[in-house]
């Protein structure tokens, strides 16, 4: 029996050698280890063996079983590896080669046009010595209104329909809100630095408004502020014109109208001629041919005071650029709602460059 077991082992190794597919290997295994397999058949003979013989044959047979299991496992692993390697070889891809067909078919992500323009504007202002600041979306009444010369009973609070909320976890009496303009960052910026200074602050703002082709509840502004000695409206106009020229890469028609904002005095509305309809009148410019783009003005003394700045010594200008409208003018987008739609067909038209 011992010899039989030895020769079975050699026979198995030989048979396994010639096989190369998983099913055949498993079949071979069961021919040896299955209930009616060759090893089992031999072990049946154990019944007639002496106790001494059993002591030797038992472990030997178990050893053979183990050996067969081990050989099968190793062989299967080897086959699997070969299959993987073959597949890898066949599907070899050169990622640096843009001509690869599948790479051409891939959907490329695009950078949102608002981000593209924001980056450009930041570059323009950085080159003119401005800092770029950020601020929180959730604000308090002080930063959104009071410090900007809009006390609680002031009718100007109604100009900006506000999303209010109250945190039930908080004992604070003070109500929180979603900032309605980036002017909140003006307040924070002023209180954190000493004049002279100049900064811009791009950011998302929120207003509880009915949406249409030119209004969204969630939109973006880019605030700017410059404070120093003897700053004039001339300085303000210079910076605004430089900005518009850089963005549109051409002179655009602008007009300055008086505008009321409690935090500036005098206040202006800087409009540009609608680039969608070239001034003829369309839904974006509400048929006027002009688009309000840049409310601005000289910072009100009360605002400087709230920012910890002495208005007798310093003055400055501020502006609040409507970023989304600028994007629409630049790319000829006729509905602001496209910008937040998350529609990939829209986004993918603007590639990063
Ligand atoms: N914060 C104003 C708004 O959102 C815009 C503005 C900013 C006007 C700075 C003047 C100066 O309506």
């Amino acid at each position: 029996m011992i010899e039989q077991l030895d020769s079975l082992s050699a026979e198995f190794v030989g048979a396994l050698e010639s096989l190369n597919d998983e099913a055949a290997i498993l079949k071979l295994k069961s021919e040896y280890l299955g209930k009616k397999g060759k090893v089992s058949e031999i072990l049946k003979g154990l019944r007639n063996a002496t106790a001494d013989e059993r002591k030797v044959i038992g472990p030997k047979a178990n050893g053979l079983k183990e050996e067969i299991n081990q050989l099968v496992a190793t062989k299967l692993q080897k086959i699997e590896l070969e299959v993987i390697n073959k597949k890898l070889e066949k599907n070899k891809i050169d990622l640096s080669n843009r001509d690869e067909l599948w790479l051409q078919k891939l959907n490329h992500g695009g950078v949102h046009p608002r981000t593209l323009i924001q980056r450009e504007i930041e570059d323009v202002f950085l080159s003119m010595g401005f800092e770029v600041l950020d601020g929180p979306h959730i604000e308090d009444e002080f930063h959104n209104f009071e410090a900007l010369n809009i006390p609680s009973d002031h009718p100007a609070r109604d100009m900006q329909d506000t999303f209010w909320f109250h945190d039930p976890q908080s004992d604070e009496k003070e109500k929180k809100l979603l900032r309605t303009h980036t002017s909140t960052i003006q307040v924070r910026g002023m209180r954190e630095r000493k004049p002279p200074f100049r900064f811009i602050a791009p950011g998302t703002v929120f207003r509880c408004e009915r949406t249409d082709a030119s209004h969204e509840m969630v939109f973006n502004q880019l605030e700017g502020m410059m404070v120093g000695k003897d700053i004039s409206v001339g300085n303000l106009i210079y910076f605004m014109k430089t900005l518009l020229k850089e963005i549109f890469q051409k002179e655009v028609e602008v007009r300055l109208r008086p505008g009321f904002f409690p935090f500036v005095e005098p206040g202006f509305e800087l409009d540009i001629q609608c680039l969608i309809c070239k001034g003829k009148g369309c839904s974006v410019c509400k048929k006027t041919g002009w688009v309000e783009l840049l409310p601005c003005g000289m910072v009100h003394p009360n605002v400087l005071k709230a920012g910890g700045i002495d208005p007798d010594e310093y003055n400055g200008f501020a502006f609040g650029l409507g970023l989304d409208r600028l994007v629409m003018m630049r790319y000829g987008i006729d509905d602001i709602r496209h910008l937040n739609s998350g529609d990939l067909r829209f986004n993918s038209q603007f590639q990063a460059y």
Side-chain angles (χ1 to χ4, degrees):
M1 272 173 104
I2 292 185
E3 277 154 29
Q4 269 179 315
L5 285 172
D6 280 341
S7 69
L8 261 192
S9 163
E11 189 188 310
F12 180 80
V13 172
L16 186 64
E17 186 107 33
S18 60
L19 296 181
N20 266 319
D21 86 274
E22 191 181 339
I25 292 170
L26 291 175
K27 189 167 161 258
L28 180 71
K29 182 179 160 187
S30 80
E31 277 169 21
Y32 281 74
L33 300 186
K35 262 196 186 146
K36 293 203 171 129
K38 295 182 181 180
V39 180
S40 318
E41 288 302 324
I42 292 177
L43 289 179
K44 272 183 202 157
L46 269 181
R47 280 186 231 123
N48 308 323
T50 63
D52 281 347
E53 276 173 333
R54 276 186 210 165
K55 261 189 207 151
V56 186
I57 295 170
K60 181 113 187 148
N62 281 333
L64 177 60
K65 274 189 190 167
E66 217 166 276
E67 187 190 342
I68 290 178
N69 275 326
Q70 193 64 45
L71 285 169
V72 166
T74 315
K75 179 91 183 195
L76 287 178
Q77 229 172 31
K78 200 173 136 216
I79 291 178
E80 197 182 352
L81 209 71
E82 272 167 16
V83 171
I84 292 175
N85 280 337
K86 255 192 213 144
K87 262 194 203 159
L88 283 176
E89 190 60 39
K90 214 169 91 196
N91 299 332
K92 212 170 190 175
I93 291 155
D94 178 4
L95 284 177
S96 63
N97 179 7
R98 286 243 139 215
D99 293 335
E100 287 276 2
L101 249 186
W102 73 276
L103 259 182
Q104 289 174 3
K105 281 194 221 139
L106 266 190
N107 276 333
H108 296 262
V111 173
H112 196 282
R114 186 194 298 128
T115 311
L116 287 175
I117 288 212
Q118 187 178 318
R119 285 183 192 160
E120 275 180 40
I121 298 177
E122 286 177 8
D123 283 347
V124 174
F125 278 101
L126 282 168
S127 74
M128 296 194 289
F130 282 69
E131 291 174 79
V132 180
L133 303 189
D134 198 5
H137 289 175
I138 298 174
E139 272 291 7
D140 48 41
E141 290 184 87
F142 174 75
H143 289 92
N144 201 80
F145 294 122
E146 263 151 52
L148 290 161
N149 200 29
I150 319 175
S152 58
D153 52 354
H154 198 290
R157 286 214 181 186
D158 299 336
M159 281 165 63
Q160 302 185 351
D161 289 312
T162 310
F163 284 111
W164 294 97
F165 55 93
H166 175 67
D167 177 2
Q169 308 285 325
S170 151
D171 299 331
E172 279 177 62
K173 292 261 170 357
E174 193 182 38
K175 283 192 285 185
K176 296 278 191 208
L177 52 92
L178 285 173
R179 72 178 175 204
T180 56
H181 50 180
T182 40
S183 303
T184 52
I185 309 176
Q186 260 192 50
V187 179
R188 292 178 181 275
M190 272 189 295
R191 291 163 76 88
E192 283 162 8
R193 33 187 68 63
K194 296 229 165 315
F197 56 75
R198 47 181 98 172
F199 58 76
I200 56 165
T204 305
V205 299
F206 309 84
R207 291 196 199 165
C208 188
E209 278 184 2
R210 189 193 284 264
T211 58
D212 60 28
S214 53
H215 292 89
E216 257 287 26
M217 281 190 263
V218 179
F219 58 103
N220 293 267
Q221 292 184 331
L222 188 138
E223 195 83 5
M225 184 175 216
M226 179 170 181
V227 172
K229 287 197 171 166
D230 302 324
I231 297 201
S232 69
V233 176
N235 296 127
L236 167 62
I237 293 172
Y238 166 77
F239 280 108
M240 299 305 97
K241 278 201 149 174
T242 309
L243 167 69
L244 294 173
K245 212 163 116 190
E246 289 287 336
I247 294 300
F248 293 107
Q249 294 294 312
K250 61 174 180 192
E251 299 280 346
V252 283
E253 289 289 323
V254 299
R255 71 176 187 190
L256 208 58
R257 294 180 285 127
F260 172 71
F261 303 94
F263 31 95
V264 283
E265 184 55 43
F268 307 105
E269 286 280 9
L270 191 147
D271 302 340
I272 66 166
Q273 195 175 65
C274 181
L275 298 176
I276 306 275
C277 62
K278 312 260 178 325
K280 287 197 202 81
C282 65
S283 63
V284 172
C285 60
K286 301 218 181 68
K287 310 250 182 284
T288 63
W290 294 90
V291 176
E292 270 181 37
L293 194 66
L294 247 167
C296 52
M298 303 305 289
V299 184
H300 194 287
N302 287 350
V303 176
L304 288 171
K305 269 189 230 156
I309 294 164
D310 180 359
D312 293 330
E313 206 178 335
Y314 296 103
N315 71 341
F317 67 72
F319 62 89
L321 175 74
L323 209 49
D324 304 71
R325 293 214 179 138
L326 188 66
V327 175
M328 293 167 76
M329 291 297 115
R330 160 87 166 258
Y331 291 109
I333 299 166
D334 60 4
D335 195 318
I336 193 171
R337 290 166 290 195
H338 286 309
L339 294 177
N340 289 350
S341 66
D343 188 334
L344 290 180
R345 288 170 307 175
F346 173 77
N347 288 5
S348 60
Q349 297 173 66
F350 307 93
Q351 299 297 333
Y353 53 82

